[in-house]
Amino acid sequence: MEFKDYYQILGVDKSASADDIKKAFRRLARKYHPDVSKEPDATERMAEVNEANTVLSDPEKRAAYDSVGAQNWAAGARSGDDVRPPPGWNEGFEFSGGDGNAEAFRHAFHGQFGSEAGEYSDFFEQLFGRAGRFQAGRRHGQGSTQMRGEDRHARIELELIDAYKGTERSITLHGVRLDEQGQPPVPEERTLQVKIPKGVKEGQLIRLTGQGSPGFGGGAAGDLFLEVHFRPDTHWRIDGRDVTRNLYVTPWEASLGGSVQVTTPDGAVVEVTVPAGSGSGRKLRLKGRGIPSASAPGDLYLELDIAVPGTITDAQKAAWSALAAAYPGFDPR
Amino acid sequence: MTTNIPTTSVPAELTELLDDAALTLEQLARGVRQAPEWVLTHVKAGVLHPAHGQAAAEWRFASATLLRARRIANLEHSFDADPQLAALTVDLMEEVAALRRQLTQF
């Protein structure tokens, strides 16, 4: 595990004042905020910046970090892939200061589900993980001997059909395992096989009880919240549980009306009547054919789009001319 | 180096699709890593809104409110932002996200 240069990440030197660190953090937090940044690696950079700020803005953590230093870290005891800080690195430091909301972003969720902004690295977990857990417990008013595990959050991307039929997904969680002897925690991975119920909608949360961080001293485990998002799809527009798709019709179907077959998002084929005299943009509602829900299923809207064929043959051109002649007073403008 | 990642199947009874009014004040506070007083203050300020309930003990928050509260708390922490300013920023973020979604849809 490599030493992380938090000063370099924030672009400040080691003599930087608290104010310098705050300014550097805010500048980078604005630049890499995952909700607004267009940088391709914004989420990862924001996580680094958050982590660096969490350490350098806290005098106790900063002092502990400085005391370890790159050289000492490199000289730390190694055992296979498990690298630990040098013995006694944390003596004399009591992590009493809470770092507030930064604790909300301690854990990483990887794989096809993306990752959460502000996650902390294994390096950070090795240095501060145990202390951070005690802080979290104190904030919730629990004793240090028994505390509930932290809730965790992850983002999942689904296809629209998953909302109609439900699905099953694997989620790989990157966390840490606490050592009963009080040693710094070690990185741990686990995979959850999760059934996603049908009826989910954009931005909705799925709570997996007890699948968050483990409790401490017999405390209950936290919950894992999965935030649902749909993959962008040019075929559908989704608003809550209502779904809209466009439906191409011929000029004569729009004008004369008729019955057309439509495939719904769950793959069913339904017969739909297009009313005579329909114009482009008219919406036909298929009640209850949106995203399913026991209490309030959504509707499926079909937005008509009149497709005009290219005129190819002389006979077809003549047919359009005859049509124009049949509507001498028609002026859509 | 991890070679075998343990896999756990989450029982269906532990998987809950949160409704529009599912979270209590305490659950919301825990999800944001803040004290319940933080939620109370933000509701009184009109920054967060319970979906149901009159008294604080009866409040139930939509799951979308948890996401919103997490963003607000993050902005307050990162920039020492006033709650109203953080809420305004989150309003704009949500608007941008909705517009970006529209761009990717037909």
Side-chain angles (χ1 to χ4, degrees):
Chain A
M1 188 189 305
E2 285 186 11
F3 182 80
K4 275 189 172 288
D5 190 336
Y6 290 140
Y7 292 101
Q8 189 182 51
I9 289 170
L10 288 189
V12 297
D13 57 44
K14 288 185 177 163
S15 61
S17 67
D19 195 45
D20 293 337
I21 288 167
K22 184 187 279 187
K23 282 178 183 166
F25 167 69
R26 287 181 177 178
R27 182 172 51 80
L28 293 171
R30 189 169 155 240
K31 181 177 181 183
Y32 293 117
H33 197 293
D35 286 323
V36 292
S37 178
K38 289 188 170 60
E39 303 283 338
D41 58 348
T43 301
E44 291 75 20
R45 295 299 304 272
M46 190 66 218
E48 277 189 342
V49 168
N50 257 330
E51 181 173 312
N53 180 62
T54 297
V55 174
L56 298 186
S57 65
D58 181 321
E60 291 167 344
K61 282 194 178 73
R62 183 177 179 180
Y65 171 77
D66 287 344
S67 79
V68 174
Q71 287 184 341
N72 284 340
W73 182 266
R78 286 173 180 273
S79 170
D81 289 325
D82 182 20
V83 181
R84 294 174 186 278
W89 67 275
N90 58 349
E91 286 174 4
F93 293 101
E94 182 186 358
F95 297 94
S96 58
D99 52 66
N101 189 64
E103 285 292 340
F105 304 107
R106 303 185 62 236
H107 296 286
F109 296 78
H110 290 297
Q112 59 183 310
F113 296 90
S115 57
E116 188 172 25
E119 65 205 27
Y120 286 0
S121 67
D122 291 343
F123 172 79
F124 178 95
E125 295 285 6
Q126 289 269 357
L127 275 178
F128 303 108
R130 183 171 53 131
R133 286 174 186 278
F134 278 112
Q135 288 171 4
R138 284 183 192 147
R139 269 201 301 284
H140 294 304
Q142 298 167 343
S144 60
T145 54
Q146 187 183 65
M147 70 173 84
R148 185 185 185 278
E150 297 169 15
D151 290 344
R152 299 170 69 173
H153 292 254
R155 177 187 168 102
I156 57 169
E157 280 203 331
L158 302 176
E159 305 290 348
L160 178 58
I161 193 169
D162 297 331
Y164 274 76
K165 296 189 167 181
T167 187
E168 191 164 321
R169 290 293 166 90
S170 292
I171 304 173
T172 300
L173 304 177
H174 297 239
V176 291
R177 175 168 47 82
L178 288 177
D179 188 311
E180 290 298 329
Q181 278 72 48
Q183 295 299 309
V186 294
E188 182 182 60
E189 284 188 337
R190 64 192 172 111
T191 298
L192 293 180
Q193 199 70 20
V194 182
K195 282 191 169 63
I196 309 293
K198 66 180 182 180
V200 293
K201 56 184 183 179
E202 176 75 22
Q204 195 166 20
L205 293 181
I206 299 170
R207 177 165 53 197
L208 306 179
T209 303
Q211 299 301 325
S213 295
F216 190 80
D223 298 334
L224 171 60
F225 290 90
L226 301 180
E227 180 185 336
V228 171
H229 291 280
F230 293 114
R231 284 204 183 89
D233 191 322
T234 54
H235 296 95
W236 316 103
R237 193 164 62 230
I238 305 165
D239 180 16
R241 289 198 173 89
D242 292 338
V243 178
T244 303
R245 61 159 288 183
N246 61 355
L247 175 62
Y248 289 110
V249 292
T250 62
W252 41 95
E253 283 171 334
S255 183
L256 303 174
S259 185
V260 297
Q261 287 194 332
V262 174
T263 304
T264 61
D266 59 348
V269 178
V270 295
E271 201 85 7
V272 175
T273 300
V274 177
S278 294
S280 270
R282 181 171 188 172
K283 283 185 179 177
L284 309 179
R285 184 173 75 148
L286 275 60
K287 192 170 168 54
R289 289 278 189 170
I291 294 175
S293 161
S295 55
D299 298 331
L300 175 62
Y301 290 92
L302 306 173
E303 194 170 304
L304 299 186
D305 196 342
I306 299 173
V308 178
T311 53
I312 301 173
T313 65
D314 287 343
Q316 287 164 340
K317 285 181 183 173
W320 284 104
S321 296
L323 182 64
Y327 286 91
F330 180 61
D331 181 0
R333 292 165 297 279
Chain B
M1 188 175 170
T2 307
T3 50
N4 293 317
I5 301 176
T7 300
T8 308
S9 285
V10 182
E13 61 268 25
L14 298 182
T15 305
E16 181 187 7
L17 192 56
L18 295 184
D19 291 328
D20 288 339
L23 298 167
T24 65
L25 186 154
E26 287 73 23
Q27 287 170 333
L28 181 66
R30 199 166 61 221
V32 189
R33 304 286 199 279
Q34 300 286 346
E37 290 72 27
W38 185 91
V39 176
L40 277 168
T41 305
H42 284 68
V43 170
K44 281 180 185 167
V47 169
L48 298 175
H49 304 281
H52 288 298
Q54 296 298 316
E58 300 166 352
W59 285 348
R60 293 295 180 272
F61 295 88
S63 60
T65 305
L66 174 55
L67 302 178
R68 178 177 168 80
R70 279 162 56 82
R71 285 198 173 108
I72 290 171
N74 188 24
L75 288 169
E76 287 179 10
H77 171 74
S78 297
F79 298 100
D80 289 337
D82 173 85
Q84 297 290 352
L85 179 61
L88 172 64
T89 307
V90 170
D91 287 344
L92 294 172
M93 283 177 178
E94 290 170 349
E95 186 77 19
V96 167
L99 291 170
R100 282 181 177 168
R101 268 201 305 279
Q102 279 185 27
L103 283 176
T104 60
Q105 297 173 333
F106 81 89

